[in-house]
Amino acid sequence: MLSVVPFHDMLREGSAASDAMETMIKILSSTKEETQAKSASALAGIFESRKDFRESKIAVKTLWSVMKLLNVESGNILVESCHCLATIFLSIKENRDVAAIARDAMTPLVALADSSVLEVAEQAVCALSNLMLDTEISDTAIAEQIILPSTRILREGTLSGKTHAAAAIARLLHSRRVDYAITDCVNRVGSVLALVYFLESARVGSAAIGEALDALAILSRSEVVGSQIKPTWAVLADFPKSITPIVLTISDATPLLQDKAIKILSRLCCDQPVVLGDAVASASDCISSIARRVISSPNLKVKIGGTALLICAAKVNHQRVVEDLNQSNSSNYLIQSLVAMLVSGESSLANLHSGDQDAISICRHAKEEARNGESDAGTAVISGTNLAIWLLSVIACHNEKSKTAIMEAGAVEAVTERISKRSSQYAQIDFKEDNSIWICALLLAILFQDRDIIRAHPTMKSIPVLANLVKSEVSANRYFAAQALASLVCNGSRGTLLSVANSGAAGGLISLLGCDDVDIQELLDLSEEFALVRYPDQVALERLFRVEDIRVGAASRKAIPALVDLLKPIPDRPGAPFLALGLLTQLGKDCPSNKIVMVESGALEALTKYLSLGPQDATEEAATDLLGILFTSAEIRRHEAAFGAVSQLLAVLRLGGRAARYSAAKALESLFSADHIRNAESARQAVQPLVEIINTGMEREQHAAIAALVRLLSENPSKALAVGDVEMNAVDVICRILSSNCSMELKGDAAELCCVLFGNIRIRSTMAAARCVEPLVSLLVSEFSPAQHSVVRALDKLVDDEQLAELVAAHGAVVPLVGLLYGNNYMLHEAISRTLVKLGKDRPACKMEMVKLGVIDSILDIFHEAPDFLCAAFAELLRILTNNATITKGPSAAKLVEPLFQLLSVPEFGPDGQHSALQVLVNVLEHPQCRAGYTLTSHQAIEPLIPLLDSPAPAVQQLAAELLSHLLLEEHLQKDAVTQQVIGPLIRILGSGIHTLQQRAVKALVSIALIWPNEIAKEGGVCELSKVILQADPLLPHALWESAASVLASILQFSSEFYLEVPVAVLVRLLRSGSEGTVIGALNALLVLESDDGTSAEAMAESGAIEALLELLRSHQCEETAARLLEVLLNNVKIRETTAIKTAIVPLSQYLLDPQTQAQQARLLATLALGDLFQNETLARSADAVSACRALVNVLEDQPTEEMKVVALCALQNLVMHSRSNKRAVAEAGGVQVVLDLIGSSDPETSVQAAMFVKLLFSNHTIQEYASSETVRAITAAIEKDLWATGAVNEEYLKALNSLFSNFPRLRATEPATLSIPHLVTSLKTGSEATQEAALDALFLLRQAWSACPAEVSRAQSVAAADAIPLLQYLIQSGPPRFQEKAEFLLQCLPGTLVVIIKRGNNMKQSVGNPSVFCKLTLGNTSPRQTKVVSTGPNPEWDESFAWTFESPPKGQKLHISCKNKSKMGKSSFGKVTIQIDRVVMLGAVSGEYTLLPESKTGPSRNLEIEFQWSNKECQS
């Protein structure tokens, strides 16, 4: 009943409930044990069901009473008392009064917990369990006193007791570290196993499971404190079966309990991964449950622990894990959760204690393996969030479909970021590099086996990170970065491979090459576990260098030096040299640039040194193979280190293995292509070992040795004698091979060596050489074409010896040789042809035998498809044959004409073949009866010869011309249209300079000249004829020159289009012809040439054109045209600068003075030519220029046209500009008067040019006696006329006037000078800036003379110039700055009028009435002036003007103005002001307000408004 009583009734004193409760508490003190026990039991039931009672003071009262019962001996009372305390302690955290009292209960309860009576001990443990809900009490408890009895109860107690015992242990350890003492205690009593067994027996009750798991979870956090004692959780590892109950809990329990179980089991992953994995894999629904907790749990430790458990399960049965995850549809979610752990795990993990991080880990090896040896790679233990990466790797490895899900979840980005971030941290801070990054690279290596993932964008971002990681100091990081790169390279596209190459990864990959398997065994095992390649560095590099762009690109060039460095022995990388050799060989094949880089990196030296160490056969072969590849480059063969490799290769030849000897022979073959190596003494030492190999080696080695000897001896036949110096005669060895039953390929090589050896005369003369003839001839009938070719070439060398040639012929070589002329083995046919040529020379019988055997027919069958070199060889053979008259007249020779003409039409056919073919045709067609037998058209016979006439070989040209001369004897060929195509080549032969060719060409041209004259000209006949004309060869007949000139003149007469084709020198020479038509034609051509090309004038002058033209003028022949051309030439600046041109002055002057010179146009052009000449100052200063002055003045006196006047004046200007003597000459010739007359000309241009001439003529005092006032008058008249006509003045008139005034001051005071002033003023007003400047200069010059002039003259000039005052004032203010000085100077000298205007006064106040104000003005010594009196107020207005006239401006004078008052009421004076008037002269007008002094002390200041003016106007008053 009390358990359901309302709480407020219980608290109310006097209530039935309160009294009943008090009674029950009192009963606890009863003397009856039974009553006490029942009372305690009842109170326990009440407090267990009523939390409000436990938290009230009732609990405190009860506690005091119950605690007294703990000392009784009755077991029943002790049981119920402990039970009652246990219920009261349920709210000990809320009821602090209870907590304060309960501390005293700890000791008796601990004692009871050790009771032999199990029920008492169990209830005491229950009470202790609830008592330790208070953390303060829990902290003070002694661990052993709690753990020992609790463990006992866990083994022997009831389910409730066990639950409380587990809770007691958990609450005891919850807030304390599991230290050595606790660990020892737990291990001694077996608390952990007791909890596990309890867990197994209490599976149904989740509360019991929770308490047990709590305790286990806390114990699982115990630290390893030393080697003497194990951690508490180690017992689970020692008893694997104990794991099963915890594993099963994961399948059945709530998420909270699952999390606790995961935390416990995760501590065992390191020690018992297999047992744990087997338990997890065997338990139903356990894998999926763990996966769901990894996905759903917010606790990072749970996620990591669950991940570790799944890894253990996968280690045992990865197929079961994959299947369970797929069946539960949690695979993708698990992947996403694992990736999320990578993204967020870094920051979360940083907040965990380092011990907690490492607590969850997996050891990849069993304990026994771990003890056997430690791994330096850092791959033995995986812990923390690395477990997530490991599990992702496991899933990706065993489930292909999951790779895409992992990539889509962002794993590639997360892992890449993780690698990048950690790498950058360790680069910036001096920390040891993280040795767990390799797991990230492992995951990438597995993922990149999928091509779709490689194509994703994040993959591209990972490449530079991996390239950086592969250079890590940690071997595992390097190795698995290489694995990732290998996956990319093996499965990626070409673009991916290029990205990897450009990232610089090759350098890091190279650093892994050749590591000993023992050193990286752990890494190799990992690769095998995840199905990766064993040696990723080799695979990646080999695949990369397969791509052509990479192999020839910058990445390869950067990798080569590192590979070359590996050729040096490295103790910890024994396999590196062999691998480096393979990669270098791969890089070097067909890539010249890589070979050069290898050599620059020291490959030759390294290989040579490496070979000197005596490496194994395979490595030795690889080294010699690489040398062979390098020496295929001519540039490398020239390298200084190449020479040093010879001796080492020779050592390999002598002592190396068979494969290495073969490679060495191939390398020497390449080396012997270099002259300096082939010609060195060391190369000679190669002969003996090579011959030895030929004698004793395998056939493959014999091939290589023969090829090396051929290369060594082919360029230097004299060195072939070295073969005879060896112990065994090499020729005999070759002969034995030729006679043996070895392969035809080897016999062919032996024949090739014979070809080289037989190039030496001494070897050919030996008996051994003669013995080779028979086997060589017998080889001709073989079906192996290369052997036949080599045999024929060897026979070709042998037949150079006459005796051996007879021997060859005697052995019947002609028959098989001719018989081989079929098919398309053109190289063989060429060699046969050469051999037959040598056999046929001086052996008519052999020739006839060849013809009978059908050699001509065989040749004709091959002709139409044969290449040029073979056709040339055939033509030479035919030439030898047709030298025989019998063969030439035979039917076979008749078949050759048409095919040979067709052969000559082939453009690629060479000169040697052309020569032979032409000679054959000449041999056949040189006789008329032979030509009569053919009806050849021009297309057949003429067309093929046309290009041959231009052949660079003179012999071919000669034979072609000779053949053409025979053909053109036929009339139908002369008139054929095709024949005109021959003209061009013949013209070119005409210009060859070779007399025999010229003779043939002229002969041919004579035959067609009457038919094709225009075509001859168009084909360059003009040019070649010109060359003949210009020849200075004394052996050249004059008649030839005349004929050539006549032909050239005719061509020019036929068409003017050829004018420009004739060289200038030729045309100049034609000017000296006696024929007027020739001269006119030459003149016209020269004019056209000069108009089209201005630079040709210099060439004309250099060729003597000026002298020839002057001669024409003197003889009055073609005057106008000659004068026109002469003027054009003399107008050229460069021609005028030549020294010889001076000689043209006198002839031109004489021509102008010559009375017979009547042609006006010619005179004009001659005058113009003189003007052109004297543009050159040197010529103008010459002595001959005086005669030109007279001639030009004479021209002006002869009433010429206006145009001629201008031209003559311009010429005279050029003359007098630089020479005083010329001025004197002009004046003495009457030129002054003439030019004064011309100034007044009605033609403006003539007048202006005359003025300019006057300016130059009187620019100094040379002819001062001719300077007069009339000159000034004439110019003044011209100025006046110009003003009347145009309203303006040309500045040239003013400049001429200035020249006179400047140089002759006496003219300034003349009457004409005074009369010019008004015109100067007008020019200043209306002219341009240049005109204004000239007028201002003239006025300035006149002003300078006023002080020396008579007074009346200066007065008249100043008055006249005063009209310029406004203009000068304007120029000072607005004109150019250069005008200002002269304008101011003039203004200060000119007479003018000063006008002062008194406008008004201001502030003229008085105390009473209006003032009567007037102003009095005083200027210098002049009489005072006065205004009218104004009485209108304080601001009187006068507006009166006062004027003063001055002969010159009043410089420095002041105007005094006083303002007075006539009113009797006020002041008599308002003040005065003094004003400087200089400024008004320059400015023209100045106005302003001027303050009267003294100023007013009371009111505003008094002032006058005044305006000043200075002008040329005369005073009106």
Side-chain angles (χ1 to χ4, degrees), residues 92-93 95-104 106 128 130-142 171-172 174-176:
I92 192 170
K93 293 172 68 176
N95 194 333
R96 301 311 299 165
D97 293 335
V98 171
I101 301 169
R103 290 186 178 89
D104 297 333
M106 174 63 77
L128 287 171
N130 291 342
L131 178 61
M132 284 187 292
L133 286 171
D134 186 291
T135 56
E136 294 180 2
I137 297 174
S138 174
D139 291 342
T140 60
I142 298 173
R171 292 165 187 169
L172 171 71
H174 188 271
S175 59
R176 64 175 68 196

Side-chain angles (χ1 to χ4, degrees), residues 627-628 631-632 637 649 653 662-674 677-678 686 690 703-712 714:
L627 282 174
F631 290 144
T632 57
R637 291 195 295 268
L649 289 172
L653 282 181
Y662 169 76
S663 299
K666 297 295 288 182
L668 284 172
E669 179 189 359
S670 299
L671 264 179
F672 290 155
S673 299
I677 294 177
R678 188 174 58 248
L690 288 172
H703 277 294
I706 290 174
L709 276 176
V710 169
R711 185 63 60 85
L712 173 63
S714 59

Side-chain angles (χ1 to χ4, degrees), residues 874-892:
F874 282 160
E876 179 62 18
L877 177 57
L878 292 173
R879 184 184 70 82
I880 294 297
L881 295 175
T882 55
N883 284 338
N884 186 292
T886 304
I887 296 174
T888 302
K889 296 175 183 179
S892 297

Side-chain angles (χ1 to χ4, degrees), residues 10-87:
M10 181 65 71
L11 295 180
R12 190 173 66 250
E13 293 184 7
S15 66
S18 177
D19 292 341
M21 194 66 178
E22 290 289 342
T23 303
M24 289 190 68
I25 293 171
K26 291 178 181 178
I27 293 174
L28 288 173
S29 302
S30 172
T31 56
K32 294 183 178 181
E33 294 182 358
E34 184 178 0
T35 302
Q36 290 177 314
K38 288 183 178 180
S39 176
S41 175
L43 288 170
I46 293 171
F47 286 120
E48 187 172 7
S49 61
R50 295 296 296 267
K51 182 175 184 293
D52 50 354
F53 287 1
R54 295 198 301 268
E55 295 176 359
S56 67
K57 58 185 179 178
I58 300 171
V60 177
K61 293 179 182 179
T62 306
L63 178 59
W64 281 113
S65 299
V66 174
M67 286 177 61
K68 296 176 182 178
L69 298 177
L70 294 179
N71 297 321
V72 300
E73 296 180 356
S74 171
N76 192 22
I77 295 174
L78 292 174
V79 169
E80 297 302 336
S81 299
C82 290
H83 184 207
C84 183
L85 289 175
T87 57

